[in-house]
Amino acid sequence: MGIAVRHLSKRFADFQAVDDVSFEVPEGQLVALLGPSGSGKSTILRIIAGLEPADSGEVELTGADATNLPVQRRGVGFVFQHYALFRHMTIRQNISFGLEIQRLDRTEIKRRVDELLDLVQLSGYAGRYPSQLSGGQRQRVALARALAPRPKVLLLDEPFGALDSRVRDELRTWLRKLHDEVHVTSLFVTHDQQEAFEVSDQIVVLNRGKVEQMGPPQQLYENPTSPFVTEFLGAVNVLPIDSILSMNSIDEEAPLPLDIPGPNGPELIYVRPHDMEVSRDSDGRPGWFARIKRLTPLGGLVRLELSLPDNTRVLVQMTRERCRELNLRDGEGIFVVPRNWKVFHQKSENFVQDYVI
Amino acid sequence: MLSGSSKTPQSSVLSPESSVLSPKSRVLSPQTFLIVVVVGWFAALILVPSLALAKKAFDGGFRPFWDALASPDAQRAFGLTLVITLLATVVNTLFGLGFAMVLVRQRFWGRALADGLVDLPFAVSPIIAGLMLVIVYGPMGWLGSRLESVGFKVVYAWPGMVLATMFVTVPFVVREVVPVLREFGIDQEEVARTLGAGRWRTFWRVTLPSIRWGLAYGVTLTVARSLGEFGALLVVSGNILGRTQTATLYIHDTIEGFHPEGAYAASVVLGGISFVLLIGMELVRKIVSEKEESGR
């Protein structure tokens, strides 16, 4: 196991930042710690690095207990959001800092630094100072510096957070490619679900200092175990179960295979915007009659804001082509069919049923 | 810093447009007016008196100037000033660094109070500072009497003078280092730690180089101020000729004793050292940062 964290807890004054967190990062994987701000993700990363002491719990790095090791002996590479390059040193001096501490001889250091400069595609920049580089270049230097002493694990704290969106996209793809070459066990913190999806092998979703769910991105997206994960991983419509029942009454010839909730209620249904199908007429399928409140083109996709007969607001996403085919306009009436939805039972806090039409 | 004074205000500011708009009037634009006021004020306040002093010191040529400085009293006074300055600067640099670190990075009860009290020596007159020290460390003071009973004389001896100089100059290093340290943050230190550096190496290789200019300013100001300290020393030293007489006390005595040529010469040397220090510091900083920005 690359990184193992067991029953980690940390309290700041009257704020429980980390609350009994356990998870593992398999050797060689790139895993994302995903959560909103204040969910404890950065604190967990800092505890793993040894920059912050935990109140209780254990940290294991490549199979060996590291709970009580001081930072400088943990062998972790750390990358900060704001790069934290040594401003008074050149790029070469920055990257060789960790190597000099290891007392490697001079030719060896030079060879390793050249190798890393090559890896992060900054070979011509060895003699420059950090202030002479762009944000993306600086973050690549920070990465090279962290990788130079061959750390056991690489920890990245919101590594793309300070970059503008185009550079961020580039660097994400680049980081994924780099990881496929270097294969160092990596854990990175982000609040951006798209970033977590694009880069990681697995995602650990955090909420209020606790692990909500862990798994490969697609699995989390398709089988979330809580409303929090469902909502955090992408836009979703949350509707009272009555909406489905009212839909059922529109077309009584094709009733839904739905168990009417007993005394267990109340229940909610969750439908993703892209799991809604819009058509001009019902074709005998169960659906709602809805009105288009607002149509927003988003490049390749179109977002529709609909209002159901009981005035519930529903978001729908479709391709530009489909929208053109149907020739949709603001204010028109249409049929909308939820193809795929989940029923959440509020009392037991579980998703109890999955439906596919 | 010194450039700009070479240009005459009138030629540099009256733009072609303004002369077109008011062809014949000699009315100054507000900017020109401000420049004239600032430069004029600076000259009247600092430049002219400085030049007047230099002229006075060299009135009879180089010889009397040199003779005045060569007197044993003058030499001993300068020697004492240098020793006191050196000791006070070393202690205040170490203490100031530590104090700044604590103020910026630690949260403790009384931090705000400590932060405010550091500036106390700036707020009170040095003569009051000297008085405070005499009360505590004087022969009748509660600490001084105990120290003297074991044969350690503080007041009316050099330890008290170092103490007084330190008291007066303590805020310089703290005040210059605190903002740079705050701006520096702790990210770079944390990165150094993860790269395997211990606390000591982190401090020498990462922290200190990052705050060096703040520290250098603080040290320069401490030296300049220590060289020129007078009031606190007057109270604490007893001004014993040849024993506890510093350069400033020597200047004071020679003025009183009606042979001002000694005062002029010593003043020029003392003022000159401080001036060269400040300018030199600025120059070194400029050269180094230009080298770093060019990045080879």
Side-chain angles (χ1 to χ4, degrees):
Chain A
M1 204 49 69
I3 303 171
V5 160
R6 293 195 195 94
H7 305 298
L8 222 51
S9 289
K10 174 80 184 178
R11 208 179 166 78
F12 293 113
D14 53 358
F15 174 65
Q16 189 72 44
V18 181
D19 191 0
D20 193 28
V21 165
S22 302
F23 65 87
E24 292 181 339
V25 180
E27 191 89 51
Q29 279 200 1
L30 178 52
V31 171
L33 275 178
L34 175 66
S37 66
S39 60
K41 52 197 193 302
S42 284
T43 308
I44 293 171
L45 201 73
R46 291 174 59 82
I47 291 172
I48 295 171
L51 293 170
E52 200 85 61
D55 294 338
S56 61
E58 287 154 29
V59 176
E60 221 173 72
L61 298 176
T62 53
D65 181 55
T67 313
N68 296 313
L69 274 185
V71 200
Q72 66 266 34
R73 289 178 43 212
R74 290 202 183 194
V76 299
F78 205 99
V79 176
F80 282 88
Q81 181 177 0
H82 296 284
Y83 334 123
L85 295 181
F86 304 132
R87 273 176 280 178
H88 60 285
M89 297 186 198
T90 61
I91 302 313
R92 176 176 295 282
Q93 288 167 334
N94 264 280
I95 299 174
S96 60
F97 186 86
L99 299 170
E100 281 162 25
I101 290 166
Q102 294 186 339
R103 296 178 185 283
L104 299 180
D105 70 73
R106 216 178 277 168
T107 53
E108 172 66 16
I109 291 177
K110 186 175 182 317
R111 198 190 55 72
R112 178 80 178 135
V113 174
D114 287 339
E115 187 183 307
L116 279 154
L117 281 170
D118 202 40
L119 186 74
V120 299
Q121 297 154 14
L122 287 171
S123 292
Y125 295 78
R128 305 246 189 138
Y129 282 85
S131 60
Q132 298 162 325
L133 302 187
S134 71
Q137 291 171 330
R138 286 183 211 184
Q139 198 54 296
R140 268 145 55 198
V141 174
L143 206 60
R145 179 179 61 178
L147 288 172
R150 301 186 196 280
K152 290 186 212 160
V153 304
L154 183 64
L155 307 172
L156 307 105
D157 192 0
E158 301 261 8
F160 312 123
L163 303 166
D164 63 54
S165 74
R166 201 180 53 81
V167 180
R168 188 163 36 195
D169 289 348
E170 258 172 47
L171 214 53
R172 264 184 210 160
T173 324
W174 177 81
L175 177 71
R176 183 64 239 186
K177 235 177 64 205
L178 180 85
H179 186 265
D180 293 340
E181 286 171 37
V182 184
H183 274 303
V184 58
T185 308
S186 306
L187 184 61
F188 87 103
V189 157
T190 179
H191 63 267
D192 180 341
Q193 47 90 16
Q194 199 192 331
E195 187 166 295
F197 267 68
E198 247 177 69
V199 176
S200 55
D201 298 313
Q202 290 201 69
I203 298 177
V204 180
V205 183
L206 291 164
N207 182 27
R208 296 180 187 183
K210 286 179 186 290
V211 175
E212 283 274 340
Q213 198 177 349
M214 175 174 182
Q218 202 54 33
Q219 187 195 321
L220 289 192
Y221 191 77
E222 282 164 14
N223 298 303
T225 55
S226 67
F228 177 82
V229 174
T230 318
E231 285 170 48
F232 199 70
L233 292 189
V236 66
N237 293 295
V238 185
L239 308 166
I241 193 100
D242 296 351
S243 309
I244 291 288
L245 299 178
S246 77
M247 169 179 81
N248 213 8
S249 69
I250 289 171
D251 194 338
E252 306 207 342
E253 286 143 45
L256 285 173
L258 183 71
D259 298 326
I260 305 300
N264 297 341
E267 282 157 29
L268 296 172
I269 67 163
Y270 283 73
V271 199
R272 298 238 180 249
H274 55 74
D275 282 334
M276 299 271 202
E277 197 180 303
V278 171
S279 51
R280 281 287 175 191
D281 46 6
S282 75
D283 284 338
R285 293 199 297 173
W288 293 293
F289 176 74
R291 195 157 286 284
I292 301 175
K293 284 275 173 200
R294 195 184 157 95
L295 190 151
T296 318
L298 302 168
L301 296 171
V302 176
R303 191 176 65 200
L304 299 180
E305 216 178 294
L306 308 178
S307 132
L308 300 186
D310 60 357
N311 276 329
T312 317
R313 195 176 142 271
V314 173
L315 281 181
V316 174
Q317 192 178 295
M318 61 170 70
T319 61
R320 192 184 49 179
E321 286 73 21
R322 177 72 181 146
C323 184
R324 202 175 287 156
E325 204 178 294
L326 291 170
N327 195 20
L328 298 177
R329 295 268 180 276
D330 273 350
E332 280 184 322
I334 45 146
F335 274 98
V336 55
V337 178
R339 272 183 313 229
N340 195 326
W341 77 91
K342 293 173 187 302
V343 178
F344 180 71
H345 183 224
Q346 286 182 297
K347 212 173 247 168
S348 65
E349 299 190 344
N350 267 318
F351 283 105
V352 285
Q353 280 159 323
D354 255 335
Y355 286 100
V356 181
I357 296 178
Chain B
M1 228 183 142
L2 292 175
S3 66
S5 59
S6 60
K7 282 182 196 164
T8 53
Q10 292 89 333
S11 69
S12 66
V13 175
L14 273 184
S15 58
E17 291 105 295
S18 67
S19 54
V20 167
L21 286 173
S22 49
K24 265 175 250 170
S25 77
R26 307 291 295 165
V27 179
L28 295 176
S29 73
Q31 292 93 326
T32 316
F33 179 70
L34 196 62
I35 291 172
V36 169
V37 167
V38 167
V39 172
W41 183 250
F42 175 78
L45 205 62
I46 296 169
L47 212 58
V48 171
S50 302
L51 294 175
L53 175 69
K55 186 173 175 297
K56 251 321 189 206
F58 294 105
D59 246 358
F62 200 70
R63 192 77 223 185
F65 173 80
W66 191 251
D67 287 345
L69 287 180
S71 84
D73 287 347
Q75 299 226 324
R76 264 195 291 268
F78 270 102
L80 187 59
T81 289
L82 289 183
V83 169
I84 288 173
T85 298
L86 186 72
L87 284 173
T89 303
V90 169
V91 174
N92 270 355
T93 300
L94 296 177
F95 175 79
L97 254 183
F99 203 105
M101 293 254 194
V102 168
L103 273 187
V104 172
R105 295 184 175 175
Q106 310 298 323
R107 293 284 166 271
F108 58 95
W109 190 88
R111 187 182 148 274
L113 186 72
D115 197 2
L117 277 181
V118 181
D119 290 332
L120 187 74
F122 280 170
V124 303
S125 162
I127 206 157
I128 299 170
L131 193 62
M132 291 172 174
L133 290 174
V134 169
I135 292 170
V136 179
Y137 294 100
M140 302 299 170
W142 65 272
L143 199 57
S145 56
R146 265 155 249 216
L147 286 170
E148 289 207 3
S149 68
V150 295
F152 191 70
K153 207 162 139 73
V154 180
V155 167
Y156 311 128
W158 66 266
M161 300 169 77
V162 175
L163 220 53
T165 306
M166 284 182 343
F167 186 109
V168 175
T169 56
V170 89
F172 287 112
V173 171
V174 180
R175 280 290 159 252
E176 291 294 328
V177 171
V178 161
V180 278
L181 203 56
R182 193 164 281 149
E183 201 260 333
F184 170 63
I186 57 167
D187 283 9
Q188 292 179 46
E189 287 183 10
E190 290 187 331
V191 159
R193 302 296 303 283
T194 64
L195 289 169
R199 282 180 194 284
W200 195 238
R201 192 201 292 260
T202 302
F203 177 78
W204 282 107
R205 296 243 4 231
V206 176
T207 316
L208 199 57
S210 303
I211 60 170
R212 62 194 161 166
W213 295 119
L215 186 64
Y217 266 121
V219 171
T220 309
L221 291 171
T222 303
V223 171
R225 185 74 178 76
S226 297
L227 289 173
E229 178 46 32
F230 173 71
L233 290 180
L234 187 68
V235 179
V236 157
S237 69
N239 196 5
I240 306 160
L241 186 70
R243 292 236 335 263
T244 63
Q245 191 175 64
T246 63
T248 47
L249 294 170
Y250 173 81
I251 292 168
H252 173 74
D253 276 14
T254 45
I255 295 170
E256 302 265 284
F258 302 106
H259 56 110
E261 57 283 359
Y264 297 145
S267 299
V268 164
V269 172
L270 218 48
I273 294 172
S274 295
F275 182 73
V276 168
L277 259 172
L278 288 173
I279 299 299
M281 163 73 216
E282 188 67 34
L283 220 65
V284 170
R285 187 200 160 112
K286 234 185 193 137
I287 291 166
V288 172
S289 54
E290 258 164 33
K291 194 190 115 202
E292 289 193 357
E293 265 149 41
S294 70
R296 273 160 284 168

